[in-house]
Amino acid sequence: MGKARPAVLDLAFANLLLLPLVKSWEASLPSTDSDHITIIITLTTPCLNQKPPRPRWADTDWDTLDPINKGFKVLAAPPCRTPPKLDEWMSESLNRLVALLQEHTPVSRPSHHSKPWWTPHLTILHREYHKAARAARKHDTPHMREVAGTSKTGYFKAIKATKNKHWSSFLLTATPQSLWTAKRFAYGRTQPRFPSVPGAETPLQMNNVHPEHFFPPKEPCSPPPRLRPHSSVPPLTTEEITAALSKCSPTSAPGTDGIPYSTWKQVNKINPSILLQIFSPLVLLGYHPASLKSSNGVILDKPGKPSYESPSSFRIIVLIGTFSKILERIIAARLLTAARLRRLLHLNQCGSLPGLSTYDACLTLTNDVKTLQRPRLKVSSLFLDIKAGFDNVDNNTLARILREGGMPPYLVSWVSSFLGE
């Protein structure tokens, strides 16, 4: 047969889809006294559309958190009050607090197979049904087939009854916020639309085109080199934080931090000094950290558009972290108080003011129209919809208007910091 040569007994092939799952490949085992070598191949578990674990904030173990929160110490603010140092302090303080909350909060792994109507009784029926079906296949007798059929009929009837009961209960307890969920359940999900933008074919290219449309680049504004405490700044109180939290809905969707308002309300209830010590330096310096400006954006199509080939036929919903929204509410309440004291608000201003709503605006408009119609004057109303007004507010112009109106310097500084990069 000629000279002996090594023979290949086992050869493993991996295509491009399997290749990313190959974690390691080594020949470290001892010889098997044969003419081939044993190869160890370690594969990772494929994650196909698997969502990451999500904390169940409603099930946080507050009993074990009570003594920890009461003894939680917030890091001292840095002596060097530059924006990078303050951003670093803010991120570290918030991360320590969030890590503490997550440690005592169970997690769940969402799945598209999850059924909100499923009950423990259905689990028992499901187990009995499969047990009877296996017994019928193993012992093919008329009695076993009858038992399996009865078990199957009872199982699927229980599923139908449980679904109907869950749907009826959902409709009875439906709120105005959950009506859209009911509509989606009844009519199903609509097919999502995606614009076909020239030059953007891959998902990565589309991801780059949309932010450029919704958030056009602006001229960068350089932050002040050093933040100095403003004089005559009213100290932040726990009552202000509690008042800001009381206006936050527990059903609001959280942003990048993923923490609902109900969790921050509980933290403030257990130890009010935690949020007070974190927010106080930011109010005193009139600064909004860059770490609180990150947000999650969801792009939705506008209904009734003749064409969906342009980004202008879509709108973006931005979800900012709840921790940042609490600080915004605190500053907004102070801005409102200062504006009313200086008579900067128009008499007919109704939006974004507590105690006033669209109903008041309609009454004001109706009263003005009827007042002018009494002397037989012609009355016309002009309604304007300012597109992307907030995104195009000039930082320097707004700061100048606030200063000319006599607003406190720390509020002017915070607004400029909030609108800055």
Side-chain angles (χ1 to χ4, degrees):
M1 293 180 62
K3 301 180 67 175
R5 60 183 178 84
V8 178
L9 299 182
D10 299 304
L11 185 63
F13 293 92
N15 57 18
L16 294 179
L17 297 178
L18 181 63
L19 189 59
L21 303 179
V22 179
K23 186 177 181 180
S24 62
W25 187 95
E26 57 181 350
S28 58
L29 294 178
S31 174
T32 59
D33 296 330
S34 62
D35 58 351
H36 69 278
I37 300 174
T38 304
I39 300 174
I40 300 178
I41 301 177
T42 304
L43 301 177
T44 58
T45 304
C47 298
L48 302 177
N49 298 326
Q50 189 174 13
K51 297 182 179 180
R54 183 178 59 190
R56 301 202 308 265
W57 296 110
D59 300 329
T60 301
D61 190 1
W62 294 106
D63 293 335
T64 59
L65 265 173
D66 277 354
I68 299 177
N69 272 346
K70 291 178 181 178
F72 182 83
K73 300 296 182 183
V74 179
L75 299 175
C80 182
R81 305 298 178 87
T82 59
K85 290 292 183 180
L86 207 58
D87 290 340
E88 182 181 355
W89 165 80
M90 180 67 208
S91 299
E92 187 174 356
S93 299
L94 187 56
N95 290 338
R96 288 178 66 246
L97 180 57
V98 172
L100 175 64
L101 296 173
Q102 290 178 342
E103 183 181 351
H104 295 78
T105 302
V107 297
S108 62
R109 188 176 294 278
S111 171
H112 61 277
H113 298 293
S114 300
K115 303 175 180 64
W117 45 267
W118 192 266
T119 62
H121 179 62
L122 290 178
T123 301
I124 298 175
L125 294 179
H126 178 267
R127 190 180 297 114
E128 293 178 350
Y129 159 58
H130 283 282
K131 182 179 178 180
R134 287 193 299 269
R137 288 193 298 268
K138 185 177 181 180
H139 308 286
D140 191 9
T141 62
H143 174 69
M144 298 303 298
R145 289 196 297 269
E146 182 181 357
V147 172
T150 304
S151 178
K152 178 180 179 180
T153 303
Y155 172 59
F156 284 102
K157 281 186 176 180
I159 288 180
K160 184 177 181 180
T162 306
K163 283 185 176 181
N164 293 334
K165 182 179 179 181
H166 176 78
W167 177 246
S168 301
S169 176
F170 176 80
L171 293 180
L172 288 175
T173 59
T175 62
Q177 289 76 19
S178 60
L179 289 180
W180 296 109
T181 305
K183 179 182 177 182
R184 189 179 73 247
F185 287 161
Y187 295 98
R189 293 182 178 270
T190 58
Q191 187 69 20
R193 301 186 181 98
F194 298 96
S196 56
V197 183
E201 299 178 357
T202 65
L204 182 59
Q205 292 174 341
M206 295 290 291
N207 190 41
N208 295 332
V209 168
H210 282 299
E212 293 177 359
H213 171 78
F214 293 107
F215 305 103
K218 298 181 180 180
E219 296 182 1
C221 54
S222 57
R226 187 179 181 87
L227 299 171
R228 301 183 181 277
H230 296 275
S231 58
S232 303
V233 178
L236 185 64
T237 62
T238 57
E239 288 76 13
E240 287 184 86
I241 300 177
T242 303
L245 284 169
S246 65
K247 300 177 182 179
C248 300
S249 173
T251 59
S252 297
T256 53
D257 52 14
I259 303 179
Y261 288 115
S262 56
T263 300
W264 294 125
K265 290 180 180 180
Q266 189 68 19
V267 170
N268 188 63
K269 179 181 178 181
I270 295 175
N271 190 352
S273 64
I274 294 179
L275 301 184
L276 181 65
Q277 294 177 21
I278 296 179
F279 287 139
S280 291
L282 305 178
V283 175
L284 179 64
L285 298 171
Y287 181 69
H288 192 76
S291 58
L292 298 183
K293 297 179 181 180
S294 60
S295 60
N296 293 333
V298 181
I299 299 177
L300 303 176
D301 54 288
K302 299 178 182 178
K305 292 292 181 179
S307 174
Y308 290 92
E309 298 182 355
S310 172
S312 59
S313 300
F314 295 77
R315 58 191 176 96
I316 184 169
I317 302 298
V318 177
L319 299 177
I320 303 177
T322 52
F323 199 81
S324 175
K325 299 295 289 185
I326 297 172
L327 179 58
E328 292 179 34
R329 288 183 178 274
I330 294 172
I331 298 297
R334 292 198 170 197
L335 281 169
L336 175 60
T337 303
R340 280 178 169 171
L341 289 175
R342 291 159 180 80
R343 301 180 182 275
L344 300 180
L345 299 177
H346 194 273
L347 295 176
N348 294 335
Q349 172 69 26
C350 297
S352 303
L353 296 179
L356 298 176
S357 62
T358 307
Y359 183 75
D360 298 280
C362 293
L363 286 179
T364 302
L365 177 62
T366 303
N367 178 72
D368 292 341
V369 170
K370 290 183 177 181
T371 301
L372 295 174
Q373 284 179 340
R374 288 192 187 98
R376 300 185 181 279
L377 297 176
K378 298 292 183 179
V379 182
S380 299
S381 299
L382 178 63
F383 297 92
L384 299 178
D385 183 11
I386 303 177
K387 181 180 179 181
F390 179 80
D391 297 335
N392 294 281
V393 172
D394 185 74
N395 195 346
N396 297 327
T397 303
L398 179 59
R400 176 178 56 80
I401 293 175
L402 293 176
R403 282 193 296 266
E404 292 176 353
M407 298 296 286
Y410 79 98
L411 292 178
V412 179
S413 177
W414 187 90
V415 171
S416 299
S417 174
F418 179 78
L419 293 178
E421 296 294 335

